């Protein structure tokens, strides 16, 4: 499993909460009169809770919309009000990771941590970032200059040539330190900075006519109109983008054709990390947010030959009636429907069920492709292809 310095949990809402004693008494009575430039003791009791959400995905790799999270690093940064902006002041650290040490995907968990720090009188916001360790493999390290770096302009940036992994961020409400207020309840709700994209397809054609001859399909690609390369951590919105790129590449090498040479035969997977229905292939990826590009298809599914430049068939993806939709943070875009990694109910429903757990897209014919964003993600997108 690939590690990421910032990271994971494919695909809902992570919740991180800080809280403290809620009283207005000064923590240290000897410091109630603080002159300009001095600091006073401030008591901060952090109650951290990362909530993976019902049926949302937070473990890596991205195989479904299952409810999991894999946060094992927490960072908390302090920003002080300065005019109309909040500028970086310092990082709050503990002796470890504020209690988060997951090496595998888990569900909801909570931890508490208390510290006494010094802050000058003023108004502050706290930025919290949760991820899987070793984000330096994927994202550039956050660099901030005290009294200069603005919270609204702080960016999460991909390293050149890397693709996104999962990151959570959130910003608190204002916290005002004064002679009569040195102990606080501070809540920070974290959401994913990235979107999840899942490609789940069945009956991939074995050959397609091209240039008067039959050419074997070797790749199933999901292409994105632009590649998100940075996002604002404060509000998780798109910043810079690069050119169109392939976010998912399913290599059909090693699969065999069915008895009629119509499409690939793929045995149903059992055990291991993921289970799929027969004759289906699956792969997922994360993307930093991307603003809509007017009059350009945001997503497309492409079947190619050995060279990915040999396009054999293209499916345009639609969100309702729109093809030029945005890719938003904390949204899950599912080409085909898969709710769990290790189970499948597609094709043959169990007694008493509706059989809706698995619905891979059938690429042997043109049909509606549904992108499902679980309700615990921000939005559900029902997409079609043409």
């Amino acid at each position: 499993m690939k590690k990421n310095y910032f990271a994971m949990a494919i695909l809902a809402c992570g919740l991180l909460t800080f809280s403290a004693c809620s009283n207005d008494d000064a923590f240290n009575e000897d410091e109630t009169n603080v002159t300009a430039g001095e600091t006073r003791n401030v008591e901060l009791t952090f109650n951290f809770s990362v909530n993976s959400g019902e049926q949302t995905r937070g473990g890596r790799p991205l195989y479904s919309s299952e409810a999991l999270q894999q946060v094992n690093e927490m960072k908390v940064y302090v920003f002080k009000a300065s005019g109309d902006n909040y500028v970086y002041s310092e990082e709050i650290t503990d002796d470890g990771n504020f209690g988060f040490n997951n090496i595998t995907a888990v569900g909801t968990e909570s931890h508490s941590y208390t510290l006494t720090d010094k802050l000058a009188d003023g108004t502050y916001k706290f930025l919290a970032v949760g991820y899987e360790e070793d984000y330096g493999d994927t994202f550039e390290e956050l660099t901030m200059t005290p009294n200069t770096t603005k919270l609204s302009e702080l960016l999460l940036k991909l390293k050149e040539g890397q693709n996104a992994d999962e990151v959570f961020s959130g910003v608190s409400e204002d916290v005002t330190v004064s002679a009569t207020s040195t102990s606080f309840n501070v809540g920070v709700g974290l959401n994913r900075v990235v979107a999840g994209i899942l490609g789940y397809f069945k009956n991939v054609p074995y050959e397609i006519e091209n240039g008067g001859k039959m050419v074997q399909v070797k790749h199933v690609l999901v292409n994105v109109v632009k590649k998100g390369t940075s996002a604002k951590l404060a509000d998780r919105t798109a910043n810079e983008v690069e050119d169109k790129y392939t976010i998912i590449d399913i290599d059909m090498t090693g699969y065999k054709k069915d008895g009629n040479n119509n499409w690939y035969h793929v045995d149903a997977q059992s055990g291991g990390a993921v289970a799929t229905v027969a004759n289906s292939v699956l792969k997922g990826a994360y993307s930093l947010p991307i603003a809509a590009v007017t009059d350009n298809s945001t997503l497309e599914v492409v079947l190619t030959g050995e060279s990915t430049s040999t396009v054999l068939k293209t499916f345009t993806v639609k969100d309702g009636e729109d093809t030029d939709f945005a890719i938003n943070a904390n949204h899950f875009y599912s080409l085909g429907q898969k709710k769990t990694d290790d189970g499948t109910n597609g094709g043959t429903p169990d007694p008493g069920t509706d059989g809706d757990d698995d619905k891979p897209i059938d690429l042997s014919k043109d049909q509606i492709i549904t992108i499902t964003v679980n309700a615990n993600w921000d939005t559900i997108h029902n997409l079609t292809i043409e």
Side-chain angles (χ1 to χ4, degrees):
M1 178 179 65
K2 179 186 174 186
K3 294 272 186 185
N4 161 9
Y5 191 98
F6 267 109
M8 220 192 181
I10 230 188
L11 196 106
C13 165
L15 177 64
L16 173 63
T17 302
F18 312 138
S19 67
C21 307
S22 60
N23 63 68
D24 293 327
D25 297 331
F27 178 69
N28 189 326
E29 292 295 340
D30 293 334
E31 294 189 305
T32 56
N33 296 315
V34 177
T35 59
E38 291 186 308
T39 59
R40 67 175 76 253
N41 289 334
V42 176
E43 185 180 78
L44 300 167
T45 300
F46 295 93
N47 294 316
F48 296 95
S49 177
V50 173
N51 178 12
S52 60
E54 246 181 79
Q55 296 183 348
T56 57
R57 174 67 188 177
R60 276 193 204 102
L62 181 62
Y63 289 138
S64 70
S65 58
E66 188 175 359
L68 297 170
Q69 59 87 12
Q70 193 166 323
V71 171
N72 52 32
E73 287 286 343
M74 288 289 178
K75 299 289 186 181
V76 181
Y77 304 98
V78 183
F79 289 80
K80 187 178 182 180
S82 176
D84 294 332
N85 300 302
Y86 288 82
V87 295
Y88 175 66
S89 176
E90 61 186 286
E91 179 181 353
I92 294 178
T93 60
D94 74 338
D95 294 331
N97 302 316
F98 294 97
F100 292 87
N101 298 291
N102 297 317
I103 59 174
T104 58
V106 298
T108 299
E109 62 175 327
S110 298
H111 299 283
S112 181
Y113 186 85
T114 303
L115 59 82
T116 299
D117 211 346
K118 286 183 176 291
L119 292 174
D121 285 0
T123 300
Y124 298 86
K125 287 184 182 291
F126 296 87
L127 167 69
V129 182
Y131 51 89
E132 188 181 359
E133 64 182 351
D134 297 331
Y135 72 84
D137 292 343
T138 301
F139 295 100
E140 294 182 8
E141 188 169 355
L142 291 178
T143 57
M144 289 171 273
T145 303
N147 304 315
T148 300
T149 302
K150 297 177 182 178
L151 174 61
S152 61
E153 297 177 356
L154 183 60
L155 299 178
L156 176 66
K157 297 181 180 180
L158 276 177
K159 283 188 173 180
E160 186 175 356
Q162 294 294 318
N163 297 324
D165 264 321
E166 198 165 45
V167 186
F168 298 89
S169 75
V171 178
S172 74
E173 297 294 331
D174 289 351
V175 172
T176 300
V177 175
S178 68
T180 58
S181 183
T182 58
S183 186
F184 306 96
N185 290 318
V186 184
V188 184
L190 275 76
N191 290 298
R192 289 177 179 84
V193 185
V194 295
I197 298 176
L198 187 74
Y200 189 25
F201 308 106
K202 70 177 181 180
N203 296 339
V204 178
Y206 183 74
E207 293 179 323
I208 294 177
E209 190 276 331
N210 180 265
K213 63 179 181 179
M214 300 304 292
V215 177
Q216 186 177 347
V217 174
K218 291 293 186 123
H219 296 271
V220 180
L221 309 179
V222 178
N223 293 331
V224 183
V225 63
K226 296 286 184 181
K227 179 176 182 177
T229 55
S230 66
K232 297 178 180 179
L233 278 172
D235 60 7
R236 299 172 293 277
T237 56
N239 189 56
E240 293 182 345
V241 294
E242 292 179 348
D243 292 336
K244 180 177 180 178
Y245 86 115
T246 297
I247 191 168
I248 294 174
D249 182 350
I250 301 174
D251 188 349
M252 300 307 299
T253 302
Y255 296 117
K256 59 186 179 181
K257 58 188 174 182
D258 75 341
N260 296 316
N261 297 333
N262 291 325
W263 52 72
Y264 280 94
H265 175 75
V266 183
D267 294 330
Q269 304 297 306
S270 60
V274 61
T276 59
V277 300
N279 296 335
S280 66
V281 292
L282 173 73
K283 194 170 184 180
Y286 293 101
S287 171
L288 285 175
I290 304 166
V293 181
T294 305
D295 298 327
N296 285 269
S297 296
T298 300
L299 293 175
E300 60 182 14
V301 178
V302 180
L303 307 182
T304 78
E306 183 69 41
S307 169
T308 55
S309 63
T310 304
V311 176
L312 304 176
K313 190 169 186 178
T314 299
F315 301 86
T316 299
V317 179
K318 303 177 81 173
D319 184 1
E321 294 300 316
D322 298 328
T323 60
D324 54 356
F325 50 92
I327 299 293
N328 294 312
N330 207 44
H331 287 213
F332 187 76
Y333 300 82
S334 185
L335 292 153
Q337 181 173 309
K338 184 158 185 59
K339 294 182 180 179
T340 63
D341 286 5
D342 58 359
T344 173
N345 195 27
T348 307
D350 294 331
T353 68
D354 59 10
D356 287 338
D357 286 355
D358 268 34
K359 288 183 177 179
I361 301 304
D362 191 342
L363 294 183
S364 67
K365 57 186 179 181
D366 294 346
Q367 65 164 52
I368 292 175
I369 284 185
T370 300
I371 282 193
T372 301
V373 179
N374 186 275
N376 287 283
W377 295 75
D378 286 347
T379 304
I380 294 177
H381 300 262
N382 294 314
L383 310 186
T384 62
I385 61 174
E386 57 184 10

